[in-house]
Amino acid sequence: MKKKIKINNIRNIGIIAHIDAGKTTVTERILYYTGRSHKIGEVHDGEAVMDWMVDEQERGITITSAVTTCEWHNCEIHIIDTPGHVDFTIEVERSLRVLDGVIGVFSAVEGVEPQSETVWRQADKYGVPKMAFINKLDRIGADFLATVGMMRERLKANPVILQLPVGQGDDFTDIIDLIEMKQISWDEETLGASYHLEEIDPQYRQEAEAYREKILETAAEYDDDLMEAYLSEKPVEPDKIFEAIRKATVSLDLVPVLCGSALRNKGIQPLLDAIVEFLPSPIDIPPIRGTHPDTGAIIECRPRETDPLAALIFKVSMIEGRRLSFVRVYSGKMKVGQELYNPSLKKKEKLTRILQMHANKRERVDSVGAGSIVGVVGLKDSSTGETLCSADHPVLLEKIDIYEPVISVAIEPKTHADQEKIEAVLKKFLTEDPTLTVRQDEDTGQTILSGMGELHLEIITSRMQREFNTNVNVGKPQVVYRETITNRAEASAIFDREIAGQRQYGEISLKAAPLARGSGTRFLSQISGEELPQVYIDAIAKGAMESMESGALMGYPVVDVEITLTGVNHKDALSTELAYTVCASMACRDVLAKAEPFLLEPIMVVEVFVPEAFLGEVIGDLNARGGKIESIDHKMGSQVLKATVPLARMFGYSTALRSATQGRGTFSMQFSHFDRS
């Protein structure tokens, strides 16, 4: 039987970073040194435990966030290893929503990269305490202090250096612990499982003392006793420093910085100690707040097993065709066989199994309490972002933000057998991934699959074949545009028709005006509730907003437009909600067509790392693609070029960049905004 862990000994942490910074390698070492796995799985061999999907193993990248549990010094650590590729940002978003702390992994060679910034900002949005692990110190070009400087500059973080590397690049050997003032060295024969604490090498002693002084100075600001001891120049016990740094980390004032090389098995055990020491347990952070689904009253969900149940589904996975929901329990207790209530759907669900997750392996448990992250089986209708609670104490927790897709492909089944399966298979993917959308093109009859990027859609079509044996032909990727208008315009419409033996009448006038970029759409009414009952104004608003989902130019959603109701003709006996809704839709389509509509396309922020010799060629290529160069910086032996480029011109860029730079250039790209190209 699994021993019970106290809630103050639980750590729910995530590992976040840019692609290829070493997140999965760090996680693999954590699992090995905590005894959770008995062999170190390497990403480059396709054997990483956390990258269990075939596509992940083949490509050497993380695609889906994987959950695992391990123990260190009587603490139960739930870890979510998240993807680093921008196409899978939703995986990071929904993981951060349920975590109490994160470790940002940075490569000491590349420093803070674009996706590192994105995921760090996501963690800021949810107020998640953070630590940093500066990895790859054994690589040529590694610069520990430059990476810490980039954290200050790019992330606006307040890092406190707790460790120093002994040497960098080929000379990297050990790590200096600045709180205990010891040098740590690892045994290569035991794959880093055993390590020794030694006196600091004399040549590094002075530098270590200077950095320890900085730690004391920083930590003293957050602890009065420590401040007193520091000012009176008394010796300070390490426990006092740990306490002060923990307090400042949990309150988001400091980011402890550790270092090492996960691939060379150095720095992981001190990182585990720091997770236990500095990152919060579920009781160290403010209780999550929800609302009562009927009254809207604020409800605090305290992390206690004796309180009513409140849990959030942060991910749904269709493994082997079965629905597995990943749940964070915030308060109360969940038991196998329990009846749960979903207030969003106003439905009851039966819990048939609770599973402690270890990537794609699982272990059954009978019950779990507040603070746990587990997989559950038996939920038929509940999906990502929905709350599970008890019917007697309903509560709605805040939903998870979903991103809009920016790229589409047309897919069609290869055979009649595939035709029969495709709808059910796509439904499973839509259940798993809220950033994926599917629609039928009315003109061509094609199935249009939309997602966050080329790689995202490539993975989906690959999984259709591998996991569900459904073969599809995939069309050329198409950009998902938006429509807006250039000028103001006015239009009127009359709907006068007999439907089911009853005459339905509505007559309205609208005007449309363009808004600033990024404003969205809005509906205003100049008609008072006395002239026209509010129920009819709401029906007009509904008709107008629905018609803006498909623009007059090419049928793309309309954005940055204000529609104003300026006039109505109301006939008491004949005017109905349906008539006004249809009439508004007709008037809206007419006014948008008159207002000179045009297309907005997705503009991407592109960051290219390129050796200096190839800089001119790369700039020329980006200019030819309609890109605007924003900045060129020198960083760690490369030129870093930042530009904004229309997504439509970026297809096939990775191949073009490789051939232009003899395979030495790399780039990252993420969505910025919609605009006229």
Side-chain angles (χ1 to χ4, degrees):
M1 190 179 161
K2 191 173 180 290
K3 64 176 180 178
K4 190 165 171 61
I5 298 276
K6 289 183 179 174
I7 193 166
N8 60 327
N9 285 337
I10 291 175
R11 301 288 181 276
N12 290 316
I13 65 156
I15 300 190
I16 60 172
H18 187 89
I19 192 167
D20 208 28
K23 295 178 306 306
T24 303
T25 307
V26 168
T27 313
E28 291 298 320
R29 269 45 181 190
I30 287 174
L31 296 179
Y32 181 67
Y33 298 134
T34 56
R36 195 69 179 82
S37 57
H38 304 292
K39 174 177 178 276
I40 295 177
E42 300 293 10
V43 175
H44 52 265
D45 295 333
E47 292 180 357
V49 173
M50 301 301 273
D51 286 351
W52 56 270
M53 283 170 63
V54 178
D55 280 296
E56 293 179 313
Q57 292 166 354
E58 282 185 359
R59 295 163 195 268
I61 62 169
T62 302
I63 290 165
T64 180
S65 49
V67 180
T68 191
T69 306
C70 58
E71 283 189 26
W72 185 257
H73 298 339
N74 294 323
C75 268
E76 184 172 277
I77 304 173
H78 301 140
I79 303 172
I80 300 182
D81 174 32
T82 64
H85 197 285
V86 68
D87 284 14
F88 309 106
T89 299
I90 185 64
E91 290 285 341
V92 186
E93 180 87 24
R94 57 188 178 183
S95 300
L96 287 170
R97 174 70 175 77
V98 297
L99 292 170
D100 301 329
V102 295
I103 300 161
V105 177
F106 301 97
S107 163
V109 180
E110 286 83 12
V112 177
E113 296 172 274
Q115 185 64 3
S116 307
E117 279 188 71
T118 303
V119 294
W120 196 270
R121 301 269 173 264
Q122 286 172 304
D124 282 341
K125 179 170 91 174
Y126 290 118
V128 183
K130 296 173 281 292
M131 277 182 8
F133 181 74
I134 298 183
N135 192 25
K136 302 193 177 186
L137 280 162
D138 60 310
R139 292 259 305 273
I140 292 167
D143 192 331
F144 174 71
L145 293 177
T147 306
V148 175
M150 287 175 78
M151 285 177 63
R152 280 197 186 90
E153 181 192 329
R154 287 197 173 191
L155 306 176
K156 304 293 180 267
N158 188 10
V160 55
I161 295 171
L162 304 185
Q163 295 177 346
L164 285 177
V166 174
Q168 292 184 87
D170 289 341
D171 302 327
F172 173 64
T173 54
D174 300 342
I175 286 167
I176 295 168
D177 181 336
L178 296 170
I179 296 180
E180 301 283 359
M181 286 301 277
K182 293 286 181 189
Q183 188 163 320
I184 311 170
S185 63
W186 280 265
D187 289 339
E188 289 186 16
E189 301 79 45
T190 62
L191 296 176
S194 57
Y195 57 98
H196 312 283
L197 297 180
E198 301 158 356
E199 290 306 311
I200 296 171
D201 190 317
Q203 66 172 315
Y204 295 105
R205 185 90 202 177
Q206 194 175 346
E207 186 186 9
E209 281 170 355
Y211 274 98
R212 191 175 197 272
E213 192 70 17
K214 285 182 186 174
I215 293 174
L216 290 173
E217 195 180 308
T218 306
E221 292 177 33
Y222 305 97
D223 189 290
D224 293 341
D225 294 343
L226 187 59
M227 177 65 85
E228 201 176 306
Y230 175 66
L231 291 174
S232 56
E233 297 185 0
K234 290 179 187 168
V236 179
E237 290 299 311
D239 284 355
K240 276 279 174 203
I241 304 173
F242 284 132
E243 202 178 303
I245 292 173
R246 178 184 176 80
K247 196 191 299 178
T249 304
V250 172
S251 62
L252 309 178
D253 291 312
L254 287 182
V255 177
V257 178
L258 296 95
C259 61
S261 167
L263 194 62
R264 298 281 168 263
N265 310 316
K266 294 179 180 183
I268 302 301
Q269 293 93 335
L271 176 64
L272 279 162
D273 291 339
I275 289 168
V276 170
E277 203 66 60
F278 302 125
L279 290 180
S281 73
I283 57 172
D284 296 323
I285 54 173
I288 192 165
R289 303 173 109 197
T291 55
H292 192 286
D294 300 324
T295 65
I298 301 292
I299 299 171
E300 267 198 357
C301 304
R302 292 168 298 182
R304 297 195 302 215
E305 289 192 9
T306 50
D307 276 27
L309 175 69
L312 184 79
I313 302 168
F314 66 94
K315 177 176 171 163
V316 175
S317 185
M318 303 297 287
I319 297 173
E320 296 160 6
R322 297 183 66 183
R323 192 186 188 102
L324 175 67
S325 304
F326 290 84
V327 172
R328 161 73 195 257
V329 184
Y330 284 101
S331 70
K333 198 170 182 179
M334 275 200 321
K335 296 177 193 165
V336 171
Q338 184 179 358
E339 200 170 60
L340 305 173
Y341 180 63
N342 180 331
S344 303
L345 303 177
K346 296 190 169 16
K347 271 189 174 183
K348 289 184 177 176
E349 297 262 33
K350 187 76 174 274
L351 198 60
T352 56
R353 282 186 205 168
I354 301 175
L355 305 167
Q356 194 91 61
M357 299 304 297
H358 179 46
N360 65 330
K361 297 181 177 68
R362 53 208 82 137
E363 186 184 315
R364 285 197 195 192
V365 290
D366 295 327
S367 66
V368 286
S372 300
I373 292 179
V374 290
V376 300
V377 178
L379 308 181
K380 290 188 173 69
D381 302 305
S382 301
S383 59
T384 301
E386 290 176 352
T387 308
L388 298 173
C389 56
S390 65
D392 304 340
H393 297 90
V395 62
L396 261 177
L397 301 176
E398 186 189 344
K399 284 216 163 215
I400 294 168
D401 286 346
I402 304 299
Y403 294 86
E404 286 286 315
V406 294
I407 192 168
S408 298
V409 288
I411 58 169
E412 57 183 39
K414 284 190 176 176
T415 66
H416 183 65
D418 295 325
Q419 172 75 55
E420 289 172 354
K421 285 189 283 185
I422 194 166
E423 198 174 317
V425 170
L426 286 173
K427 195 175 176 186
K428 286 176 180 174
F429 283 122
L430 292 174
T431 303
E432 269 194 11
D433 189 344
T435 59
L436 203 63
T437 63
V438 174
R439 66 179 174 86
Q440 292 295 124
D441 189 301
E442 289 176 13
D443 298 329
T444 63
Q446 288 177 307
T447 301
I448 307 295
L449 188 65
S450 303
M452 299 302 293
E454 279 184 275
L455 181 62
H456 185 202
L457 297 178
E458 200 181 304
I459 297 292
I460 294 296
T461 50
S462 165
R463 286 182 64 199
M464 286 174 81
Q465 203 272 319
R466 283 184 197 278
E467 294 175 32
F468 300 100
N469 200 23
T470 306
N471 295 299
V472 291
N473 292 318
V474 181
K476 193 181 167 193
Q478 298 292 317
V479 174
V480 177
Y481 293 91
R482 295 287 182 269
E483 294 185 22
T484 191
I485 57 174
T486 312
N487 295 322
R488 293 170 177 271
E490 295 184 15
S492 300
I494 299 172
F495 181 81
D496 188 356
R497 197 171 297 170
E498 194 171 296
I499 300 173
Q502 185 188 344
R503 190 174 161 210
Q504 312 254 2
Y505 178 84
E507 183 180 347
I508 66 165
S509 299
L510 297 175
K511 67 178 181 186
L515 294 174
R517 209 60 69 238
S519 303
T521 54
R522 58 176 180 245
F523 177 85
L524 301 176
S525 174
Q526 290 179 355
I527 306 301
S528 69
E530 290 164 11
E531 289 177 75
L532 187 71
Q534 187 61 42
V535 66
Y536 295 129
I537 294 174
D538 293 343
I540 293 166
K542 179 174 177 261
M545 296 309 278
E546 281 177 0
S547 73
M548 285 204 280
E549 288 171 14
S550 177
L553 200 59
M554 290 177 70
Y556 290 108
V558 177
V559 295
D560 307 334
V561 171
E562 180 180 87
I563 299 288
T564 307
L565 175 63
T566 55
V568 293
N569 185 4
H570 182 68
K571 295 183 180 178
D572 281 336
L574 303 176
S575 294
T576 62
E577 286 179 57
L578 174 64
Y580 279 124
T581 301
V582 177
C583 189
S585 185
M586 290 161 58
C588 195
R589 273 200 299 273
D590 193 15
V591 79
L592 291 173
K594 286 179 177 176
E596 294 183 34
F598 65 90
L599 286 181
L600 295 172
E601 62 180 321
I603 305 295
M604 312 301 281
V605 173
V606 180
E607 193 161 277
V608 188
F609 288 75
V610 57
E612 197 156 355
F614 306 106
L615 186 63
E617 203 169 333
V618 170
I619 290 173
D621 182 47
L622 285 173
N623 284 336
R625 292 171 187 268
K628 291 175 186 164
I629 309 298
E630 304 281 332
S631 64
I632 301 172
D633 299 311
H634 183 77
K635 185 171 94 181
M636 300 179 186
S638 287
Q639 297 293 333
V640 183
L641 198 148
K642 209 168 187 174
T644 54
V645 193
L647 174 61
R649 315 277 184 87
M650 287 301 288
F651 293 133
Y653 183 64
S654 53
T655 308
L657 181 65
R658 275 199 298 271
S659 58
T661 61
Q662 296 173 7
R664 292 166 64 194
T666 60
F667 81 103
S668 64
M669 176 171 77
Q670 60 193 61
F671 174 72
S672 170
H673 62 285
F674 281 98
D675 210 342
R676 211 167 188 164
S677 60

